[in-house]
Amino acid sequence: MMARRLIPNLGQWSSRIFGVECDKKSAVYFALRVDRQADPRGKELKQLFGDGKAFSFHIHCEDRIQRSKIYELLQDKVSSIPSTDCTIMDMSSFLPNAKQSASKGFLLTYSSDSPLTEKVIEDLQQVEAVSVCSYFQERDGMWWQKHLSQKGGGSEICPRYCITLTEKPEVCPTVLNIINNDVFYSFEEAYKVLVECRDIIPESQAVLNLVDQRLDLTERGKFPVIVIEGLDATGKTTLTESLTQTVNGVLLKSPPESLAPLRKRFDCEPPLIRRAFYALGNYITAGQIARESSKAPVIVDRYWHSTAAYAIATAVRGGLGKLPAGGSEVYRWPEDLLRPSLVLLLTLDPAERQSRLRGRGLAHTREEAELEANNLFRQKVEEAYRRIEDPACVIVDASPSPDKVLQQVLLLIKNKCHL
Ligand SMILES: Nc1nc2c(ncn2[C@H]2C[C@H](O)[C@@H](COP(=O)(O)OP(=O)(O)OP(=O)(O)O)O2)c(=O)[nH]1
Ligand SMILES: Nc1ncnc2c1ncn2[C@@H]1O[C@H](COP(=O)(O)OP(=O)(O)O)[C@@H](O)[C@H]1O
């Protein structure tokens, strides 16, 4: 007997809002409606759902670790359909109160019959935590959302709800999702994620042990703390090493060496887990910065800007215009994380960076590969870097020779940190 799918009751759904990111520029929002009056504004829904078939997939799972794993499965499944057969759009479902983050999913529309698409829909209906809905318009002009239950075994329960266009919510669902799901704004929030995934990722306990042994110092010492940020192959390693020697400083990096053996394991996890790992790396490094900056200048190779910029650029689908505007709360520095004296962002034109990357060797991580394959992702990372505040990055042109870049940086440090 197939386990009965938990179809959310109307109470939970009656006020749900669905946001569909239709393309790089716009989104359509609709909500379930209790009354059943035809909605003359249905033409946007007609455009959204098209003349063919339309299905949405959402995850209903209380456990956020499981939810993040199932979302990756869902993403793999829907992206296995050739784009010639269908249109896939990001869809989020959320309750109007701004505190609750959205449940991420997809809207799939297609006109001509495609066995592969039908197979994917069939397969996803078998995944208990995935809620599959179809969308159709009746002769009276009303649009309906119908929940599809698993085939076979349980009896067909197919509740359906009227839907109607609704206004764009005050807080965009993707921003809701970023906070403490993709980017962590406190130590406790990141720590909780690793505790929750101990059962499925045994290495989490090793990370938690290292984090528990961290230096719980949060105050910067009397010497300057300079963070060097930038995309891969902009020259961070070269500059941090020469700069550390020149100022007789201490070189640190995030994630710290102690987490290096575990990094590969967490780099292949969903964003929720991977970012919590990197966030905890920043807190370990912060303790080391606090200790070392009481004795000498500290140079850091990547820190919170990298964690936030890569996370935001990954979480926000679509173009640069979809990034949260400057000043958004997603760009704010965690209150409990040691702030550096100065953050320098090395920038380089793509062609020069490519040639340095070739000179250095192949990309190692999935993220580095993504950076090279996806110009838009790279632009979003760079733009997210620039929008992070308190402290904001100071832009450095990294195209001159290593020595000239070093001289430029020494001047900046002298002016800004009186070193
Ligand atoms: N360090 C660090 N890297 C992150 C984070 N989030 C994503 N990444 C990405 C950035 C890079 O594409 C990739 C490799 O990071 P790193 O630059 O730290 O590693 P790698 O040993 O290649 O050092 P290098 O590129 O030579 O500075 O991981 C984060 O929070 N911290
Ligand atoms: N200012 C520079 N001019 C030319 N080549 C550079 C410069 N800085 C670094 N490189 C070279 O570019 C490659 C990447 O430099 P690296 O310091 O490893 O960058 P990152 O740490 O940002 O990935 C290396 O082969 C390095 O020798």
Side-chain angles (χ1 to χ4, degrees):
M1 168 80 165
M2 301 288 279
R4 176 67 53 83
R5 170 194 301 284
L6 300 174
I7 298 283
N9 61 46
L10 184 60
Q12 188 202 8
W13 280 72
S14 58
S15 56
R16 280 198 95 70
I17 295 175
F18 298 85
V20 181
E21 316 268 326
C22 309
D23 56 33
K24 307 233 182 317
K25 293 186 230 22
S26 67
V28 171
Y29 293 90
F30 60 89
L32 304 185
R33 62 183 305 163
V34 183
D35 65 351
R36 278 155 171 52
Q37 302 307 316
D39 180 348
R41 295 177 304 152
K43 66 180 183 326
E44 275 180 76
L45 291 175
K46 177 87 181 156
Q47 279 165 359
L48 176 65
F49 296 129
D51 298 324
K53 295 178 182 171
F55 292 88
S56 68
F57 311 103
H58 278 106
I59 299 160
H60 287 283
C61 174
E62 283 309 307
D63 178 328
R64 61 178 172 168
I65 304 295
Q66 283 303 327
R67 206 162 53 230
S68 67
K69 290 278 198 185
I70 296 167
Y71 179 77
E72 289 224 312
L73 176 142
L74 183 52
Q75 196 165 30
D76 289 349
K77 271 284 183 192
V78 293
S79 28
S80 70
I81 306 172
S83 54
T84 47
D85 291 8
C86 69
T87 305
I88 296 169
M89 294 167 263
D90 288 310
M91 184 167 181
S92 43
S93 118
F94 50 100
L95 294 171
N97 63 334
K99 289 301 156 223
Q100 184 156 7
S101 68
S103 153
K104 296 195 300 186
F106 298 95
L107 177 70
L108 168 73
T109 60
Y110 62 105
S111 41
S112 48
D113 281 347
S114 143
L116 180 58
T117 308
E118 309 280 347
K119 176 80 174 60
V120 166
I121 295 167
E122 181 60 34
D123 289 349
L124 286 172
Q125 288 190 55
Q126 307 313 316
V127 181
E128 188 174 338
V130 172
S131 172
V132 181
C133 297
S134 65
Y135 296 84
F136 55 93
Q137 187 177 29
E138 291 204 326
R139 271 193 290 279
D140 63 0
M142 270 309 297
W143 278 95
W144 292 82
Q145 176 197 70
K146 182 162 97 172
H147 277 263
L148 305 181
S149 69
Q150 285 161 313
K151 293 280 179 293
S155 61
E156 290 290 300
I157 312 172
C158 299
R160 62 183 219 168
Y161 308 110
C162 300
I163 55 179
T164 182
L165 279 173
T166 187
E167 299 310 312
K168 176 176 177 167
E170 259 173 62
V171 187
C172 173
T174 41
V175 172
L176 275 181
N177 259 351
I178 288 172
I179 295 171
N180 291 328
N181 283 303
D182 295 291
V183 184
F184 293 90
Y185 297 86
S186 77
F187 171 79
E188 281 71 27
E189 286 296 339
Y191 194 89
K192 268 189 319 196
V193 172
L194 269 285
V195 170
E196 290 168 23
C197 56
R198 274 182 303 193
D199 301 346
I200 55 167
I201 307 177
E203 294 85 345
S204 305
Q205 191 53 58
V207 176
L208 294 169
N209 294 342
L210 288 166
V211 171
D212 291 342
Q213 295 155 23
R214 80 188 186 289
L215 295 161
D216 197 7
L217 308 166
T218 55
E219 293 306 311
R220 209 175 57 215
K222 65 180 183 216
F223 287 94
V225 176
I226 318 295
V227 174
I228 306 297
E229 291 283 3
L231 297 181
D232 302 302
T234 45
K236 294 183 302 302
T237 305
T238 306
L239 173 64
T240 50
E241 286 168 356
S242 58
L243 182 58
T244 305
Q245 270 181 344
T246 310
V247 302
N248 293 319
V250 172
L251 175 56
L252 296 175
K253 68 188 303 185
S254 178
E257 286 307 329
S258 60
L259 287 185
L262 293 156
R263 187 168 179 177
K264 215 176 196 59
R265 177 64 189 82
F266 284 87
D267 264 339
C268 52
E269 287 300 330
L272 173 76
I273 301 169
R274 183 156 90 249
R275 304 302 171 198
F277 170 80
Y278 278 114
L280 292 174
N282 290 330
Y283 284 98
I284 296 176
T285 300
Q288 295 168 348
I289 293 171
R291 178 183 60 190
E292 298 304 332
S293 58
S294 63
K295 298 178 268 184
V298 175
I299 310 300
V300 189
D301 184 343
R302 291 189 192 273
Y303 188 42
W304 195 74
H305 278 74
S306 272
T307 307
Y310 280 85
I312 292 166
T314 306
V316 175
R317 321 275 286 199
L320 277 174
K322 306 301 278 185
L323 283 174
S328 159
E329 59 185 306
V330 299
Y331 299 118
R332 77 173 192 278
W333 192 273
E335 283 311 316
D336 62 355
L337 182 66
L338 181 145
R339 280 179 170 77
S341 323
L342 180 64
V343 180
L344 301 177
L345 177 63
L346 302 188
T347 57
L348 203 52
D349 79 76
E352 169 61 17
R353 202 176 67 83
Q354 277 296 337
S355 82
R356 290 189 192 178
L357 201 58
R358 277 193 296 279
R360 183 187 73 172
L362 292 178
H364 333 286
T365 65
R366 188 164 76 167
E367 223 131 34
E368 285 169 325
E370 170 74 6
L371 268 180
E372 298 333 307
N374 185 336
N375 187 38
L376 179 58
F377 176 62
R378 192 168 50 245
Q379 288 175 41
K380 286 195 286 188
V381 171
E382 283 211 308
E383 186 53 33
Y385 264 130
R386 293 164 188 261
R387 294 185 184 180
I388 291 168
E389 301 161 346
D390 191 23
C393 292
V394 173
I395 307 296
V396 173
D397 173 10
S399 51
S401 71
D403 188 56
K404 284 213 167 69
V405 173
L406 175 62
Q407 294 316 315
Q408 196 189 158
V409 162
L410 287 169
L411 202 55
L412 265 174
I413 294 172
K414 188 162 171 285
N415 294 339
K416 304 240 178 212
C417 303
H418 315 301
L419 184 66

